[in-house]
Amino acid sequence: MPGIAHRLAEGIDEGIPMGPAQSAEAISIASPAPVIGHELIVVDVIQETPDSKSIVLRCPDAFRELFAYRSGQFLTFRIPSDRTGHVARSYSLSSAPGIDDDLKVTVKRTVGGYGSNWLCDNLAQGSTITVLPPSGRFTLDGDEDDLLLFAAGSGITPIMSILKTALHRSQSSVILFYANRDHASIIFRRELEEFEAAFDDRLRVVHWLDDHQGFPSFEDIATIAADNPSCATFVCGPAPFMNMVNEGIRKAGLPPERHHQEVFASLSGDPFAARPTPTGSTGPSVETVVNLAGEAHRFDWPMDRTLVDVLLDRGVDVPYSCRSGECGSCACVVVAGKVLMSESDALDPADLAEGYVLGCQSRPDAGPIEIAF
């Protein structure tokens, strides 16, 4: 699958000026029905910079396995709102699986950003908050490649998770290009210095400060990419920064299939709203097998229900976040048979050509059907 990952986001606003699509917050309207999700406990709040905090969350043992995650994924939070009851916001995990004992997200305040400001102002040690299990496809899945990582501002958050995993769980060499407005804006500055000292033979951090060097250009990116042609690349930050990095990587001639980019989408639905209780479909269904996490789930898929809803009703831990076709977390491949999918921008033409569909937007058409996550 092409290395483009979609997630829901409130916006990333430092490093270089942010485009309007990234600055708008997504508001999901509360449902009067009971909500889904799980309560996590805040065990620490860390002031990273004057306008950013890391929130450390502990998962109760009862659903710890449900919150297992991969480096680069995100959590979606149910945030109280006087106006709508609650809103949903997603924030990347800066912790690394198997390395950090607890989950940690890092949140930077955005101007007019309800979710980021509420979290920074209201969460403290001992607080609880409702969260969906980890999701997202901007992940480090292998450990064989050396890595070239690009981040701007709070885009460092998933990149930090990927960086820690690569350093602690592999022998990969890592170069991090990290752009910020100024020295005070550098999130994880102390941790990065410690990593440089501990892994001085494998890690190089290139800090780019706008107040000293101006904004980086695609030529700057092309130069560092051309010097490291064997690296897999990851980029996260404001849209203009990611577009500039993409241009630089193309100019350097690095293969696009080894380039991974986080893509942000606003959330229009409410992923915390409880699903209607199934009444038992009397209509036609299609024989289906879903291969997920090493297990084969066999069932008759009603033609009036989406794949995600059917799997959730069966107690299957299917990956999803928005349930409205916006984040791409439930992307899966149609191996056999045919499904019908509502139109969505979360998959690009290359994804569709490879047989990918969104589980939350797909219904069966002709079978037998086989799906692989």
Side-chain angles (χ1 to χ4, degrees), residues 55 57 108 122 127 130 144 154 192 246 256 263 281 291 300 307 317 325 338 370-371:
I55 299 163
L57 301 155
K108 183 184 182 300
N122 290 277
S127 301
T130 303
E144 69 280 358
S154 57
L192 289 172
N246 293 342
V263 176
S281 177
N291 298 301
D300 290 331
L307 181 61
D317 182 19
K338 184 179 178 182
E370 182 177 357
I371 300 286

Side-chain angles (χ1 to χ4, degrees), residues 83-105:
R83 184 164 64 88
T84 62
H86 69 263
V87 297
R89 299 288 186 273
S90 296
Y91 297 96
S92 295
L93 287 152
S94 53
S95 54
I99 298 168
D100 297 301
D101 293 333
D102 295 307
L103 303 164
K104 181 170 72 173
V105 297

Side-chain angles (χ1 to χ4, degrees), residues 248-286:
I249 287 174
R250 283 195 298 270
K251 181 177 176 63
L254 271 64
E257 64 271 15
R258 301 181 70 208
H259 178 56
H260 308 268
Q261 175 184 321
E262 184 71 297
V263 176
F264 304 100
S266 294
L267 176 62
S268 61
D270 181 7
F272 290 96
R275 302 183 313 280
T277 302
T279 56
S281 177
T282 58
S285 60
V286 178

